[in-house]
Amino acid sequence: MTEAVKAKEDVPPENCIPAAPLASILLTEELHRRPSRSPEYETENTALAALVAALADSPGTILQTLADKVLEVLHAGSAGLSLVTKDQKRFYWAAIAGAWQPHIGGGTPRNFGPCGDVLDHNAPMLFSHWELRYPYLGSAVPLADEGLLVPFHVNGKAVGTIWAIIHDRRRRFDAEDLRLLESMGGFASAAYQAVESIEDLRLEIAAREKAQSEVRELANGLETQVQVRTEQLERNTRDLLDSNQALEREIAERKRAEDNLRRSEAILAEAQRLSSTGSFSWRVATDEITWSEELYRIYEFEIGVPVTVELIRTRVHPEDASLVERMKMAARAPGDGTAFEWQYRLIMPDRSIKYLHAVAHATRDQNGQLEYIAAVQDVTARRRSEEALDKARSELARVARVMSLGTLAASIAHEINQPLSGIVTNASTCMRMLAAQPPNIQGALETGRRTIRDADRASQVITGLRALFNRKGLAYESVDLNEAAREVIALSLNRFERNSVVLRTEFASDLMPVKGDRVQLQQVILNLFQNAADAMSGVEDRPRQLVIKTQPEKGDRVRLTVQDTGVGFDARTTDRLFEMFYTTKDNGMGIGLSVSRFIIESHQGRLWAAPNDGPGAAFSFSIPCKPEIQRYL
Amino acid sequence: MNSLRLLVSVVDDDQSVRESLPDMLREFGYAVRAFSSAGEFLESDCIAQTRCLILDVAMPGMTGPELQRELAFRRQRIPIVFITAQRDDIIRPHLLEQGAVECLFKPFSEAALRDALDVALGVT
């Protein structure tokens, strides 16, 4: 049918004359006469509710949905919606359901179908075989046995119809059908508006999109152009920035290099100042001399004055002038060695002397010319402090000797005071006994005898001391300490036996002989033996063991140790041991530890004491095998 | 008669002192006991009877000042006269400060010893 209808669309409307009058095909009045079925509100409600939902969900297809619902609710053969075009000249079949569905999109000129009449009368109409009046519809099959149309309005203006068709004679529309169709026609108004606004919107959107796309296109063109330009600009800027950064980097690097240079120059200057070291370069061929600031300061010349050989000569100490000349001569024709080192003095305008130490080495400049680079240090302060140190050292040595002498004097006094005390007491007692009534002759004799004995003892002490300090007595000879110790042991065995002292010897077999005074060293050993024996005299709970040990030491030294298991001593009082206490007295002829120490020190050795891990103590001395200088009192 | 004499004890490691001093003290009229070490004196039975102690400063083992402290610790208030062969001007005031009656430097005179004994024994 569509083909047919479309083919006739081109026919001008004035040439199409209606074949039958309208009234002959209208059955509208009959609707109310026909027996009507009872109202189907539920169906209506369900349909309307479905339509409202469809309108909300998919407004784009609402017209078709409406057609479908009409078909369903009215039990029609076809159903649809016709809309008058905006120019009011045609009807457009916007949606069709049922048998006529293939005609969707078709339509008729306004006056060539029932819709025109319905709109003209603005009332629902029921037609019977409308093809009698509208021949165009004769080709639309299946033919419409009855067709029911209802106009619908928007804003009071009829814009289209909603219709249902019965193709089967056995069915007839009734009043209930009309009511339902009108009801749904009311909805069609809303659906139409929705669609229209959607269409408008669509159009609007399309137009906008088109406009936008045009603008976009335009913009794109522009943009592309701008982009190209921008990129060029960016590239240029980047290039510029890059070269700028490179430049900045270069500048920074140079600055850093300059800073470093300045810094190292400053450090060098500071280092020169701190170490009182100046430097100079000397181009031999031209006698061109360059000084550092510090060297100017050392020579006490104004910084910057041209340095000449003559100028330097005004400062060099006359006694060193020839030395400096010789150095210069040698420097002009360096042999194998290209480094020089020399010391010389300056005499300053205030007649003060400066001691300088110079080190120079030869190089060749770019032109192959001989050039010396030299460092010159002002060692005056060092020289002075060395002199002061030497002086202090000799002073210290003198003080040490005086102190040793003091200690020795105290020791001698002690050794002599002991027998003197006996002499005085005995003599006093002797006089008393003789003066008594009757005189105690026996007692006087005894005390007299003891007086003589003590006087002898004092005399012996003095003899021993004289031997000690007599230069002839200090005969330095080669002494085998093991041998010397054995002799002392032989002399002491009786005493050890008497005191229940067990002796053990640990002599090193590879002991080097020492240079020293044999008798003095033996006196020291004897003294250590006596100390050890005394310290053990009260020991009852453990063996009284005495160990004498010799051993070689590093640096060509020999050590001798005497160890006991006696009462020991408090480590804190070690130093006092050698001063006053623990001096052997019982035996009469003992010399104290202070004298022992004096002897050992005169052998350039050392005497010390150390407490044992267990009970007792160890006294040791260590002396060099080859004393450097023989030292006497 | 011996029981009436006051006991003076001598502690000195020097034999000549132990021989000579007791004779002189006996001449003065005292009873005398001599000991060669502090330990020997402490172990003896005459601490309580000793009215004066003549004590050497420097001795092996326990020294004179150590014996002085030991006696003080034992609450033995024996007057002490120190004797020493070491003329030490520092130790003397120190010993006197610690309660010694006197400190005589060897050799000392008979008179000096008598004076010290008189002070020690409260004879004025």
Side-chain angles (χ1 to χ4, degrees), chain A residues 419-478:
Chain A
L420 275 183
S421 181
I423 291 166
V424 171
T425 307
N426 283 319
S428 299
T429 310
C430 180
M431 283 170 71
R432 276 191 162 272
M433 286 172 170
L434 288 174
Q437 287 300 330
N440 180 353
I441 302 297
Q442 199 57 43
L445 282 174
E446 176 59 20
T447 51
R449 194 186 56 75
R450 286 205 299 258
T451 304
I452 294 164
R453 187 202 61 187
D454 286 350
D456 279 347
R457 178 180 154 194
S459 167
Q460 277 175 24
V461 170
I462 289 170
T463 306
L465 288 171
R466 280 181 65 186
L468 187 58
F469 303 125
N470 186 342
R471 279 174 186 270
K472 275 199 291 184
L474 287 162
Y476 274 68
E477 53 186 329
S478 189

Side-chain angles (χ1 to χ4, degrees), chain A residues 319-568:
Chain A
E319 288 174 23
D320 291 341
S322 62
L323 169 75
V324 172
E325 282 306 312
R326 276 204 306 281
M327 291 305 301
K328 276 182 67 182
M329 293 290 284
R332 281 182 194 280
D336 295 337
T338 53
F340 294 90
E341 189 168 354
W342 70 101
Q343 300 211 28
Y344 61 106
R345 286 166 292 172
L346 299 185
I347 183 151
M348 309 314 290
D350 64 357
R351 311 304 296 166
S352 66
I353 305 285
K354 279 191 180 181
Y355 294 87
L356 302 188
H357 182 117
V359 181
H361 75 98
T363 62
R364 297 273 168 186
D365 65 9
Q366 299 99 314
N367 307 322
Q369 292 296 309
L370 185 61
E371 181 178 3
Y372 279 91
I373 306 292
V376 180
Q377 189 173 25
D378 182 353
V379 294
T380 310
R382 194 203 296 169
R383 195 61 177 257
R384 296 249 183 281
S385 59
E386 275 171 5
E387 282 171 0
L389 192 63
D390 276 350
K391 211 176 147 204
R393 274 202 196 111
S394 52
E395 182 68 12
L396 193 66
R398 198 184 67 77
V399 169
R401 266 199 297 278
V402 168
M403 298 236 334
S404 301
L405 275 174
T407 311
L408 185 66
S411 182
I412 292 166
H414 183 269
E415 295 307 315
I416 294 174
N417 282 338
Q418 288 286 34
L420 275 183
S421 181
I423 291 166
V424 171
T425 307
N426 283 319
S428 299
T429 310
C430 180
M431 283 170 71
R432 276 191 162 272
M433 286 172 170
L434 288 174
Q437 287 300 330
N440 180 353
I441 302 297
Q442 199 57 43
L445 282 174
E446 176 59 20
T447 51
R449 194 186 56 75
R450 286 205 299 258
T451 304
I452 294 164
R453 187 202 61 187
D454 286 350
D456 279 347
R457 178 180 154 194
S459 167
Q460 277 175 24
V461 170
I462 289 170
T463 306
L465 288 171
R466 280 181 65 186
L468 187 58
F469 303 125
N470 186 342
R471 279 174 186 270
K472 275 199 291 184
L474 287 162
Y476 274 68
E477 53 186 329
S478 189
V479 179
D480 179 347
L481 263 191
N482 288 347
E483 193 61 38
R486 276 192 198 98
E487 286 176 14
V488 179
I489 290 167
L491 289 169
S492 308
L493 277 179
N494 278 341
R495 181 188 161 95
F496 290 155
E497 209 167 299
R498 204 166 56 238
N499 291 300
S500 313
V501 171
V502 179
L503 177 79
R504 189 154 60 92
T505 59
E506 293 179 11
F507 288 143
S509 54
D510 54 346
L511 206 62
M512 280 176 69
V514 297
K515 279 276 184 219
D517 187 299
R518 183 188 191 87
V519 175
Q520 280 192 14
L521 292 175
Q522 285 181 324
Q523 280 181 325
V524 172
I525 296 168
L526 183 68
N527 182 238
L528 297 182
F529 279 176
Q530 286 173 349
N531 276 334
D534 287 346
M536 293 189 289
S537 63
V539 172
E540 304 293 348
D541 60 342
R542 57 181 179 269
R544 297 176 183 177
Q545 191 178 59
L546 190 153
V547 180
I548 177 165
K549 183 163 37 177
T550 57
Q551 58 200 113
E553 273 194 327
K554 273 186 196 162
D556 283 350
R557 296 174 76 89
V558 173
R559 180 194 292 197
L560 184 145
T561 302
V562 175
Q563 192 173 32
D564 64 59
T565 56
V567 291

